[in-house]
């Protein structure tokens, strides 16, 4: 192993080379060559340090993975509240916009972030799960936290994590969970940055989610549907009650359009907390939307103004409604004030949501989406029909074992000519044999195919899509059913940037 050098320090080989150059009778010392050697040395050192930091990130991540997984929901925020107290409550060092709901949270969070950043604010964004790199969960100034800062943040709070673990175990409880540790890291990283505002996405539910120790200025609630029933309840009312747990006294709450059962629960909770409650359909609405190349033109009526013909760089009616929610939330954050049209236009034109109706290839078109419950899948299929005008579409499907797979497949089946079942690299994955069996009950069994890997599944789906007589411009493949599958599909097409 080579000896570690400080930046700019030469090893024996570089020192000898410099000496040779400086004593050359032909050329004499060349300052440019010497400077180039120094710069290369510094660059090499930086690469070594970056690699070491990435290795340490991986080691920390693997250690945190030994804790209760984020999908293993436990109804308490006592541990994370205690850890925050020991850390000096970093989550109170900046104003917070808190986001709960079943679908659309991450896209909405990205839109809120874009609107705030266009105002010149330094924004921290905490979302989950990640697609490729765990550092994606903690974003500052639009970029995932650096490997070096990730390591520093963890080391800064590690003793508090250990202390909280010890206290909990002493009383017969578990250690902090995977998600609780990352929530604490986000709080601490945002406080250290420091950020001007944090956009915090709920992990699961709301009432007992680790993020619910924040005191938000504004809370946003995206559409509520059935998901994670094992932890949140078997009906919409129960699930809505969990989501409503983020509503805090004397704050502003903005809700997307909800089913009647969910709306009643949210309204009652807001009234009990004396919160200002703004509801889509009554206080805000999507006035119009028109499909466009690369997205859609939308006109939004918020509680403060009407914003006309705004280009949103995302596809789908659901994204227009997410934009409405984000805009109304940002208005409320700034004291219920109208936002400058130019700021809204720039923010929505440039916003991206990787893994959400993302075109990763053309000829034929391959679209990737992280939808993983029936409500989300339905939105994806409606958007494909509206935006892409496919005449021959094939689905590549993978799912986790705890999802309502039959209902998801029922949303897909009317829109596709075939389905290719793919494995997912997760201990939570539904076995492909079982997935094939369920798919055979929803689709014509002859239209269900199984692949040994995701690349093979995509290749097979492309072959099936192109086997008809339709023009290549109207044939396509949709990959959906799981965040894990969406991430893997992006990597197949060499897309890792988020």
């Amino acid at each position: 192993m080579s000896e570690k050098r400080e930046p700019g320090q030469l090893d024996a080989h570089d020192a000898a080379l410099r000496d040779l150059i400086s004593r050359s009778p032909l050329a004499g010392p060349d300052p440019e060559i010497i400077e180039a050697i120094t710069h290369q040395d510094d660059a090499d050192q930086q690469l070594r340090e970056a690699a070491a930091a990435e290795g340490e990130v991986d080691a920390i991540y693997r250690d945190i993975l030994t804790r209760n997984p984020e999908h293993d929901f436990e109804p308490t925020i006592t541990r994370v509240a205690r850890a925050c107290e020991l850390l000096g409550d970093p989550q109170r060092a900046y104003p917070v916009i808190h986001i709960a709901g079943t679908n659309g949270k991450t896209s909405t969070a990205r839109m809120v972030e874009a609107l705030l950043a266009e105002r010149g604010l330094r924004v921290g964004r905490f979302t989950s799960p990640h697609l490729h790199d765990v550092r994606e969960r903690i974003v500052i100034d639009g970029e995932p936290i650096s490997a070096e800062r990730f390591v520093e943040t963890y080391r800064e709070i590690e003793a508090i994590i250990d202390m909280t673990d010890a206290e909990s175990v002493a009383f017969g409880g578990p250690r902090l969970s995977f998600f609780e540790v990352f929530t604490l890291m986000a709080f601490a990283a945002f406080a250290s940055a420091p950020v001007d505002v944090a956009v915090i996405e709920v992990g699961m539910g709301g009432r007992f989610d680790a993020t619910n120790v924040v005191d938000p200025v504004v809370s946003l609630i995206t559409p509520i549907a059935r998901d994670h029933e094992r932890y949140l309840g078997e009906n919409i009312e129960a699930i809505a009650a969990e989501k409503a747990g983020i509503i805090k006294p004397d704050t502003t709450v903005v809700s997307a359009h909800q089913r009647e059962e969910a709306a009643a629960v949210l309204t009652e909770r807001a009234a009990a907390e004396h919160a200002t409650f703004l509801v889509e359909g009554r206080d805000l609405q999507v006035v119009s939307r028109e499909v466009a190349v690369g997205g859609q033109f939308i006109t939004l009526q918020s509680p403060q103004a009407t914003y006309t013909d705004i280009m949103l760089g995302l596809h789908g009616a659901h994204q227009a409604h997410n934009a409405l929610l984000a805009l109304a939330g940002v208005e409320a954050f700034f004291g219920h004030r109208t936002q400058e049209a130019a700021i809204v236009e720039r923010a929505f034109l440039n916003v991206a949501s990787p893994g959400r109706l993302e075109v990763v290839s053309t000829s034929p078109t391959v679209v990737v989406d992280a939808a993983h419950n029936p409500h989300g899948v339905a939105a994806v299929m409606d958007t494909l029909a509206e935006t892409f005008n496919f005449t021959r579409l094939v689905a590549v499907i993978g799912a986790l074992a705890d999802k309502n797979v039959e209902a998801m497949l029922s949303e897909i089946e009317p829109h596709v000519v075939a389905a290719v079942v793919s494995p997912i690299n997760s201990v939570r994955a539904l076995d492909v044999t079982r997935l094939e069996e369920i798919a055979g009950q929803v689709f014509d069994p002859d239209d269900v195919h199984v692949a040994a890997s995701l690349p093979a599944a995509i290749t097979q789906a492309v072959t099936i899509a192109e086997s008809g007589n339709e023009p290549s411009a109207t044939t396509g493949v949709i990959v959906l059913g799981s965040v894990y599958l969406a991430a893997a599909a992006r990597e197949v097409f060499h897309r890792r940037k988020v």
Side-chain angles (χ1 to χ4, degrees), residues 154-186:
Y154 182 76
R155 297 305 178 205
E156 287 167 2
I157 70 172
E158 188 174 17
I160 299 301
I161 292 172
D162 292 342
M163 186 181 302
T164 307
D165 285 345
E167 288 184 0
S168 179
V169 171
F171 285 95
R175 298 186 301 160
L176 287 162
S177 70
F178 173 98
F179 186 72
E180 287 172 332
V181 170
F182 273 102
T183 300
L184 292 170
M185 288 183 66

Side-chain angles (χ1 to χ4, degrees), residues 472-495:
S472 61
T474 64
T475 60
V477 172
I478 174 66
V479 183
L480 80 170
S482 166
V483 175
Y484 293 96
L485 192 70
R490 294 186 87 241
E491 292 191 354
V492 168
F493 291 94
H494 309 291
R495 296 196 176 210

Side-chain angles (χ1 to χ4, degrees), residues 160-426:
I160 299 301
I161 292 172
D162 292 342
M163 186 181 302
T164 307
D165 285 345
E167 288 184 0
S168 179
V169 171
F171 285 95
R175 298 186 301 160
L176 287 162
S177 70
F178 173 98
F179 186 72
E180 287 172 332
V181 170
F182 273 102
T183 300
L184 292 170
M185 288 183 66
F187 291 161
F190 295 158
S192 294
V195 300
D196 297 314
V197 56
V199 182
I200 306 291
E201 177 189 321
V202 166
M204 187 190 300
R207 182 164 60 118
F208 292 118
D209 187 76
T211 66
N212 205 29
V213 296
V214 300
D215 296 317
V217 176
V218 178
S219 297
L220 306 182
I221 303 180
T222 68
I224 296 172
R226 294 183 63 173
D227 197 10
H228 303 294
E229 290 97 327
R230 174 183 171 189
Y231 304 101
L232 304 181
E234 293 294 332
N235 56 58
I236 293 296
E237 292 92 334
I239 295 171
E242 294 299 323
K243 310 289 186 183
I246 72 165
I247 298 175
K248 302 295 175 61
D250 304 312
T251 59
T252 295
V253 182
V254 187
S255 172
H257 176 74
Q258 306 288 354
R259 291 173 53 172
E260 185 177 344
E261 312 95 290
V265 172
L266 298 178
T267 300
E268 182 179 355
R269 171 71 185 217
E273 298 294 344
H274 304 288
T276 299
F277 191 43
L278 304 175
V279 184
E280 182 180 0
R282 182 189 70 193
D283 306 296
L284 52 146
Q285 65 176 323
V286 175
V287 176
S288 65
R289 47 182 298 271
E290 180 181 348
V291 176
V293 175
Q296 57 190 308
F297 284 104
I298 56 176
T299 294
L300 306 178
Q301 182 183 320
S302 73
Q304 306 305 317
T306 298
Y307 302 80
T308 60
D309 295 328
I310 302 295
M311 178 63 182
L312 175 63
L314 297 170
H315 298 294
H318 60 295
Q319 294 291 19
H321 290 275
N322 290 339
L324 176 67
L325 189 64
L327 179 56
V330 170
E331 282 186 344
F333 179 80
F334 286 109
H336 302 277
R337 293 191 178 95
T338 303
Q339 301 301 291
E340 292 181 23
I343 286 175
V344 177
E345 288 171 355
R346 287 197 301 270
F348 285 167
L349 175 62
N350 297 316
V351 72
S353 195
R356 276 75 180 176
L357 281 163
E358 181 180 12
V359 177
V360 294
S361 182
T362 56
S363 296
T365 301
V366 178
V367 183
V368 171
D369 197 275
H372 54 272
N373 57 53
H375 181 267
V377 169
V380 169
M381 303 315 294
D382 287 345
T383 301
L384 290 173
E386 172 190 79
T387 305
F388 294 94
N389 296 314
F390 289 126
T391 58
R392 187 173 177 84
L393 181 65
V394 179
V396 173
I397 303 167
L400 301 184
D402 60 349
K403 298 300 178 180
N404 189 345
V405 176
E406 184 174 354
M408 287 197 291
L409 295 176
S410 295
E411 296 290 350
I412 297 169
E413 190 273 336
H415 301 272
V416 302
V417 299
V420 183
V421 173
S422 171
I424 296 178
N425 185 22
S426 169

Side-chain angles (χ1 to χ4, degrees), residues 2 4 42-60 133 135 146-151:
S2 61
K4 182 178 180 182
D42 287 346
D44 290 346
Q45 179 67 13
Q46 289 171 3
L47 286 173
R48 283 190 289 270
E49 290 175 350
E54 290 288 359
E56 200 163 357
V57 167
D58 185 63
I60 291 171
D133 189 320
R135 294 185 291 109
S146 69
E148 294 81 5
R149 189 62 195 133
F150 180 97
V151 173

